[in-house]
Short mmCIF file of all heavy atoms in Angstrom, two decimals:
data_model
loop_
_atom_site.label_atom_id
_atom_site.label_comp_id
_atom_site.label_asym_id
_atom_site.label_seq_id
_atom_site.Cartn_x
_atom_site.Cartn_y
_atom_site.Cartn_z
N LEU A 214 -11.43 -2.84 -3.13
CA LEU A 214 -10.57 -3.99 -3.38
C LEU A 214 -11.40 -5.13 -3.92
O LEU A 214 -12.55 -5.33 -3.51
CB LEU A 214 -9.87 -4.43 -2.10
CG LEU A 214 -8.98 -3.39 -1.41
CD1 LEU A 214 -8.46 -3.93 -0.09
CD2 LEU A 214 -7.86 -2.97 -2.31
N ASP A 215 -10.83 -5.90 -4.83
CA ASP A 215 -11.50 -7.08 -5.36
C ASP A 215 -11.64 -8.10 -4.23
O ASP A 215 -10.65 -8.41 -3.56
CB ASP A 215 -10.68 -7.65 -6.51
CG ASP A 215 -11.37 -8.80 -7.18
OD1 ASP A 215 -11.19 -9.94 -6.71
OD2 ASP A 215 -12.09 -8.57 -8.17
N PRO A 216 -12.84 -8.65 -3.98
CA PRO A 216 -13.03 -9.57 -2.86
C PRO A 216 -12.30 -10.91 -3.02
O PRO A 216 -12.04 -11.59 -2.05
CB PRO A 216 -14.54 -9.78 -2.79
CG PRO A 216 -15.05 -9.41 -4.12
CD PRO A 216 -14.09 -8.39 -4.68
N VAL A 217 -11.94 -11.26 -4.24
CA VAL A 217 -11.27 -12.53 -4.48
C VAL A 217 -9.74 -12.38 -4.43
O VAL A 217 -9.05 -13.10 -3.72
CB VAL A 217 -11.71 -13.14 -5.84
CG1 VAL A 217 -10.96 -14.43 -6.12
CG2 VAL A 217 -13.21 -13.38 -5.85
N THR A 218 -9.21 -11.40 -5.17
CA THR A 218 -7.76 -11.25 -5.27
C THR A 218 -7.19 -10.28 -4.23
O THR A 218 -6.01 -10.36 -3.91
CB THR A 218 -7.37 -10.74 -6.66
OG1 THR A 218 -7.91 -9.42 -6.85
CG2 THR A 218 -7.86 -11.68 -7.74
N GLY A 219 -8.00 -9.35 -3.75
CA GLY A 219 -7.51 -8.34 -2.83
C GLY A 219 -6.80 -7.19 -3.51
O GLY A 219 -6.29 -6.28 -2.86
N ASN A 220 -6.76 -7.19 -4.82
CA ASN A 220 -6.11 -6.12 -5.58
C ASN A 220 -7.04 -4.91 -5.71
O ASN A 220 -8.26 -5.07 -5.78
CB ASN A 220 -5.72 -6.60 -6.98
CG ASN A 220 -4.66 -7.67 -6.94
OD1 ASN A 220 -3.81 -7.67 -6.04
ND2 ASN A 220 -4.69 -8.58 -7.89
N PRO A 221 -6.47 -3.71 -5.76
CA PRO A 221 -7.31 -2.51 -5.97
C PRO A 221 -8.01 -2.58 -7.32
O PRO A 221 -7.46 -3.05 -8.30
CB PRO A 221 -6.30 -1.37 -5.95
CG PRO A 221 -5.09 -1.91 -5.30
CD PRO A 221 -5.06 -3.37 -5.57
N THR A 222 -9.25 -2.10 -7.34
CA THR A 222 -10.00 -2.03 -8.60
C THR A 222 -9.82 -0.63 -9.19
O THR A 222 -9.21 0.23 -8.57
CB THR A 222 -11.50 -2.31 -8.38
OG1 THR A 222 -12.06 -1.27 -7.59
CG2 THR A 222 -11.73 -3.65 -7.71
N LEU A 223 -10.39 -0.42 -10.36
CA LEU A 223 -10.25 0.87 -11.02
C LEU A 223 -11.33 1.87 -10.61
O LEU A 223 -11.37 2.99 -11.12
CB LEU A 223 -10.27 0.67 -12.54
CG LEU A 223 -9.15 -0.21 -13.09
CD1 LEU A 223 -9.33 -0.42 -14.59
CD2 LEU A 223 -7.79 0.38 -12.79
N ASN A 224 -12.23 1.48 -9.72
CA ASN A 224 -13.35 2.34 -9.32
C ASN A 224 -12.97 3.24 -8.15
O ASN A 224 -13.66 3.31 -7.15
CB ASN A 224 -14.55 1.48 -8.94
CG ASN A 224 -15.01 0.61 -10.08
OD1 ASN A 224 -14.92 1.01 -11.24
ND2 ASN A 224 -15.50 -0.57 -9.77
N VAL A 225 -11.89 3.96 -8.27
CA VAL A 225 -11.39 4.83 -7.21
C VAL A 225 -12.25 6.09 -7.13
O VAL A 225 -12.59 6.68 -8.14
CB VAL A 225 -9.91 5.20 -7.47
CG1 VAL A 225 -9.40 6.17 -6.43
CG2 VAL A 225 -9.06 3.94 -7.51
N VAL A 226 -12.60 6.47 -5.90
CA VAL A 226 -13.37 7.70 -5.67
C VAL A 226 -12.49 8.67 -4.90
O VAL A 226 -11.91 8.32 -3.88
CB VAL A 226 -14.65 7.39 -4.86
CG1 VAL A 226 -15.39 8.67 -4.53
CG2 VAL A 226 -15.54 6.42 -5.60
N GLU A 227 -12.39 9.88 -5.41
CA GLU A 227 -11.63 10.94 -4.74
C GLU A 227 -12.55 12.11 -4.45
O GLU A 227 -13.31 12.53 -5.30
CB GLU A 227 -10.47 11.42 -5.61
CG GLU A 227 -9.38 10.41 -5.80
CD GLU A 227 -8.18 11.00 -6.53
OE1 GLU A 227 -8.00 12.24 -6.53
OE2 GLU A 227 -7.44 10.21 -7.12
N LEU A 228 -12.47 12.62 -3.23
CA LEU A 228 -13.22 13.80 -2.84
C LEU A 228 -12.24 14.83 -2.30
O LEU A 228 -11.35 14.48 -1.52
CB LEU A 228 -14.21 13.46 -1.73
CG LEU A 228 -15.35 12.54 -2.05
CD1 LEU A 228 -16.09 12.15 -0.78
CD2 LEU A 228 -16.31 13.23 -2.99
N PRO A 229 -12.40 16.08 -2.66
CA PRO A 229 -11.57 17.11 -2.03
C PRO A 229 -11.88 17.14 -0.53
O PRO A 229 -13.03 16.99 -0.12
CB PRO A 229 -12.00 18.41 -2.70
CG PRO A 229 -12.79 18.01 -3.89
CD PRO A 229 -13.30 16.63 -3.66
N ILE A 230 -10.87 17.31 0.28
CA ILE A 230 -11.08 17.31 1.73
C ILE A 230 -11.98 18.48 2.15
O ILE A 230 -12.63 18.42 3.19
CB ILE A 230 -9.73 17.31 2.48
CG1 ILE A 230 -9.88 16.74 3.90
CG2 ILE A 230 -9.11 18.67 2.50
CD1 ILE A 230 -10.14 15.29 3.98
N SER A 231 -12.10 19.49 1.30
CA SER A 231 -13.01 20.61 1.58
C SER A 231 -14.47 20.18 1.54
O SER A 231 -15.33 20.86 2.09
CB SER A 231 -12.77 21.76 0.60
OG SER A 231 -12.99 21.32 -0.72
N GLU A 232 -14.78 19.05 0.87
CA GLU A 232 -16.15 18.52 0.83
C GLU A 232 -16.54 17.87 2.17
O GLU A 232 -17.72 17.64 2.41
CB GLU A 232 -16.28 17.48 -0.28
CG GLU A 232 -16.19 18.05 -1.67
CD GLU A 232 -17.40 18.89 -2.04
OE1 GLU A 232 -18.53 18.49 -1.72
OE2 GLU A 232 -17.19 19.95 -2.65
N VAL A 233 -15.57 17.56 3.00
CA VAL A 233 -15.85 16.95 4.31
C VAL A 233 -16.16 18.08 5.28
O VAL A 233 -15.30 18.88 5.64
CB VAL A 233 -14.64 16.11 4.81
CG1 VAL A 233 -14.91 15.54 6.18
CG2 VAL A 233 -14.32 15.01 3.81
N SER A 234 -17.42 18.15 5.71
CA SER A 234 -17.83 19.23 6.60
C SER A 234 -17.66 18.86 8.07
O SER A 234 -17.63 19.73 8.92
CB SER A 234 -19.28 19.63 6.33
OG SER A 234 -20.14 18.54 6.57
N GLY A 235 -17.56 17.57 8.36
CA GLY A 235 -17.37 17.15 9.74
C GLY A 235 -16.86 15.73 9.80
O GLY A 235 -17.13 14.91 8.91
N LEU A 236 -16.10 15.43 10.82
CA LEU A 236 -15.58 14.08 11.01
C LEU A 236 -15.62 13.75 12.48
O LEU A 236 -15.16 14.52 13.32
CB LEU A 236 -14.13 14.00 10.50
CG LEU A 236 -13.55 12.60 10.48
CD1 LEU A 236 -12.80 12.37 9.19
CD2 LEU A 236 -12.64 12.38 11.65
N SER A 237 -16.22 12.61 12.78
CA SER A 237 -16.29 12.12 14.15
C SER A 237 -15.55 10.80 14.21
O SER A 237 -15.78 9.92 13.39
CB SER A 237 -17.76 11.93 14.56
OG SER A 237 -17.85 11.20 15.74
N LEU A 238 -14.67 10.68 15.17
CA LEU A 238 -13.86 9.48 15.29
C LEU A 238 -13.89 9.01 16.75
O LEU A 238 -13.53 9.76 17.65
CB LEU A 238 -12.43 9.80 14.87
CG LEU A 238 -11.53 8.62 14.61
CD1 LEU A 238 -10.77 8.84 13.31
CD2 LEU A 238 -10.56 8.46 15.73
N LYS A 239 -14.40 7.80 16.98
CA LYS A 239 -14.47 7.23 18.32
C LYS A 239 -13.69 5.93 18.34
O LYS A 239 -14.04 4.99 17.64
CB LYS A 239 -15.91 6.98 18.73
CG LYS A 239 -16.72 8.22 18.87
CD LYS A 239 -18.14 7.93 19.27
CE LYS A 239 -18.94 9.22 19.27
NZ LYS A 239 -20.35 8.99 19.50
N LYS A 240 -12.64 5.91 19.12
CA LYS A 240 -11.78 4.73 19.19
C LYS A 240 -12.29 3.81 20.28
O LYS A 240 -12.40 4.18 21.43
CB LYS A 240 -10.35 5.15 19.46
CG LYS A 240 -9.36 4.06 19.20
CD LYS A 240 -8.01 4.67 18.93
CE LYS A 240 -7.02 3.57 18.78
NZ LYS A 240 -6.51 3.40 17.49
N GLY A 241 -12.63 2.58 19.89
CA GLY A 241 -13.08 1.57 20.82
C GLY A 241 -11.99 0.55 21.08
O GLY A 241 -10.86 0.68 20.60
N PHE A 242 -12.31 -0.50 21.81
CA PHE A 242 -11.32 -1.51 22.15
C PHE A 242 -10.92 -2.33 20.92
O PHE A 242 -9.74 -2.59 20.70
CB PHE A 242 -11.87 -2.42 23.26
CG PHE A 242 -10.83 -3.33 23.84
CD1 PHE A 242 -9.79 -2.83 24.59
CD2 PHE A 242 -10.90 -4.70 23.61
CE1 PHE A 242 -8.82 -3.67 25.11
CE2 PHE A 242 -9.95 -5.54 24.12
CZ PHE A 242 -8.91 -5.04 24.88
N PHE A 243 -11.90 -2.77 20.12
CA PHE A 243 -11.62 -3.59 18.94
C PHE A 243 -11.76 -2.83 17.63
O PHE A 243 -11.11 -3.14 16.65
CB PHE A 243 -12.55 -4.81 18.88
CG PHE A 243 -12.28 -5.81 19.96
CD1 PHE A 243 -13.20 -6.00 20.97
CD2 PHE A 243 -11.12 -6.55 19.96
CE1 PHE A 243 -12.96 -6.92 21.97
CE2 PHE A 243 -10.86 -7.47 20.95
CZ PHE A 243 -11.79 -7.66 21.97
N LYS A 244 -12.66 -1.86 17.59
CA LYS A 244 -12.94 -1.12 16.36
C LYS A 244 -12.92 0.37 16.60
O LYS A 244 -13.12 0.84 17.71
CB LYS A 244 -14.31 -1.51 15.80
CG LYS A 244 -14.39 -2.90 15.24
CD LYS A 244 -15.75 -3.11 14.59
CE LYS A 244 -15.81 -4.45 13.92
NZ LYS A 244 -15.46 -4.41 12.53
N THR A 245 -12.69 1.10 15.53
CA THR A 245 -12.79 2.55 15.54
C THR A 245 -14.00 2.92 14.70
O THR A 245 -14.19 2.38 13.62
CB THR A 245 -11.52 3.19 14.96
OG1 THR A 245 -10.41 2.81 15.76
CG2 THR A 245 -11.61 4.70 14.93
N LYS A 246 -14.83 3.83 15.19
CA LYS A 246 -16.00 4.27 14.43
C LYS A 246 -15.70 5.65 13.85
O LYS A 246 -15.43 6.59 14.58
CB LYS A 246 -17.23 4.33 15.33
CG LYS A 246 -17.67 2.99 15.82
CD LYS A 246 -18.90 3.09 16.69
CE LYS A 246 -19.28 1.70 17.16
NZ LYS A 246 -20.52 1.69 17.90
#
Side-chain angles (χ1 to χ4, degrees):
L214 301 175
D215 185 273
V217 177
T218 64
N220 294 329
T222 66
L223 300 176
N224 300 327
V225 177
V226 176
E227 292 186 22
L228 294 171
I230 203 71
S231 60
E232 292 290 318
V233 177
S234 62
L236 188 136
S237 167
L238 194 134
K239 295 180 185 174
K240 195 156 175 111
F242 190 68
F243 291 111
K244 290 186 175 266
T245 299
K246 294 181 181 185

